[in-house]
């Protein structure tokens, strides 16, 4: 199952297009740090058990004549804990699930059992002029590896994020963030993709007002592959500007942009044939609560990443955009519409692809502890290359679920 269409259970509140090929770029540690400074957490304990059923009419994402459908089930247990005490706030979300596909995709290595443990909001601690943040996540789940061959494998991802800031003058603040990520693919035949990524950013900012921060940033990120048969190690150099703006309690905007260079180390792989010039990058996220019953959010991103497509070495440019609208129809019903677009521009291959998606989720709170959910997802893939275009596809997926809040 392609990650864009891998529903994180409808009842969990996660976005339909939360992860996968059509997605906005993952939030940087700097963005997480800026947002954690503004979030007030409430004391909460919640344990939820859920069951979901689904049908997908094109599990391998093939042309119409080669379609193959799949029925699936997924059972999940979710736990949410949050606590705020004086100058410290902590949050934790964890879950375990078991999924069964009655007809697996041709290149789907999903073993069924998956889990995640991650901060709901990264914990922060304030001490005088200093603020500290420490967070992280651990996930084991089916993820897309090779987009060109529709290869999905079980993947273990462990991520640690940290941040520190010091108020210098009341208006000027010094900030530093760092993170470490380890990615391991469960099948031994994919060991060549195993890697670790770590880096740091120096990001002083100016408190323009109580609601606005503007800063400059300089960072380096190192990627090291366990083996060097597919890719050489690389350094990513980033220089840019960023800002976090809360116009009102209803409007929040984070913007980050500048130039980045993905420089490969000398090695035996043709990674160095890729473009290694400075390229523009952008991360933009905004949310607006138009009323107590309508929430709008949008994301836009452009970045340069290692290409994992078959027979392709070096990097690719990635463009993505998404828009969500959540409407509280009544006190018991919420309807969410989601639109997403992604484009991958391979620097040394012909797997350039446009992908479009539309998702609809309906949630109904039948009782104080029982929630019913239904969802639909349409995905369209369109290749630029004439040969690859023979694999253009359309996929429809339907999901139905229920959840019971135990605590």
């Amino acid at each position: 199952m392609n990650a864009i269409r891998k529903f994180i259970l409808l009842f969990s509140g996660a976005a339909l297009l939360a992860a996968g090929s059509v997605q906005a770029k993952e939030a940087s540690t700097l963005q997480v740090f800026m947002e954690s400074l503004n979030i007030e957490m409430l004391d909460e304990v919640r344990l939820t058990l859920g069951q979901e059923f689904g049908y997908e009419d094109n599990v391998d994402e093939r042309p119409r004549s080669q379609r193959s459908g799949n029925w699936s089930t997924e059972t999940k247990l979710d736990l949410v804990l949050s606590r705020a005490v004086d100058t410290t706030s902590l949050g934790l979300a964890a879950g375990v699930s078991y999924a069964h596909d009655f007809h697996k995709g041709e290149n789907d290595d999903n073993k069924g059992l998956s889990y995640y443990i991650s901060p709901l909001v990264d914990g922060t601690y304030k001490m005088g002029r200093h603020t500290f943040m420490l967070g992280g996540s651990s996930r084991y789940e089916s993820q897309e590896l090779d987009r060109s061959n529709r290869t999905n494998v079980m993947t273990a991802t462990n991520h640690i994020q940290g941040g520190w800031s010091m108020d210098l003058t009341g208006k000027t603040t010094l900030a530093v963030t760092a993170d470490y990520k380890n990615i391991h693919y469960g099948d031994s035949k994919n060991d060549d993709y195993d890697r670790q990524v770590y880096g740091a950013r120096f990001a002083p900012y100016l408190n323009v007002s109580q609601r606005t921060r503007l800063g400059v940033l300089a960072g380096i990120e190192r990627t090291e592959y366990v083996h060097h048969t597919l890719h050489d190690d690389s350094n990513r150099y980033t220089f840019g500007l960023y800002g976090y703006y809360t116009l009102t309690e209803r409007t929040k905007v984070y913007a980050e942009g500048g130039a980045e260079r993905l420089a490969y180390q000398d090695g035996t792989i043709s990674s160095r044939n890729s473009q290694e010039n400075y390229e523009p990058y952008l991360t933009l996220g905004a949310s607006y609560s138009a009323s107590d019953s309508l929430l709008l959010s949008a994301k836009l991103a452009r970045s340069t990443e290692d290409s994992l497509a078959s027979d392709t070495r070096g990097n690719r440019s990635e463009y993505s955009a998404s828009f969500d609208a959540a409407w509280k129809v009544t006190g018991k019903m919420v309807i969410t519409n989601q639109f997403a677009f992604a484009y991958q521009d391979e620097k040394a291959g012909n797997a350039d692809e446009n992908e479009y998606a539309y998702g609809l989720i309906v949630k109904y709170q039948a009782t104080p502890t029982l929630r019913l959910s239904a969802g639909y997802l349409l995905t369209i893939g369109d290749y630029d290359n004439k040969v690859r275009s023979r694999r253009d596809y359309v996929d429809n997926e339907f999901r139905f679920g229920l959840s019971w809040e135990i605590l």
Side-chain angles (χ1 to χ4, degrees), residues 38 170-173 205-214 244-247:
N38 285 65
K171 281 286 187 179
T172 306
T173 301
Y205 63 87
L206 179 68
N207 294 288
V208 179
S209 67
Q210 187 176 1
R211 298 182 179 275
T212 305
R213 305 187 192 99
L214 296 176
Y244 186 76
Y245 179 51
T246 54
L247 177 61

Side-chain angles (χ1 to χ4, degrees), residues 30-48:
L30 180 60
Q31 179 178 350
V32 172
F33 189 28
M34 290 296 106
E35 292 177 346
S36 69
L37 298 177
N38 285 65
I39 294 177
E40 296 182 4
M41 299 188 64
L42 302 176
D43 293 345
E44 181 181 15
V45 178
R46 187 169 72 250
L47 182 64
T48 306

Side-chain angles (χ1 to χ4, degrees), residues 237-250:
Y237 303 99
T238 304
F239 302 93
L241 305 173
Y242 73 97
Y244 186 76
Y245 179 51
T246 54
L247 177 61
T248 66
E249 291 298 324
R250 296 181 180 273

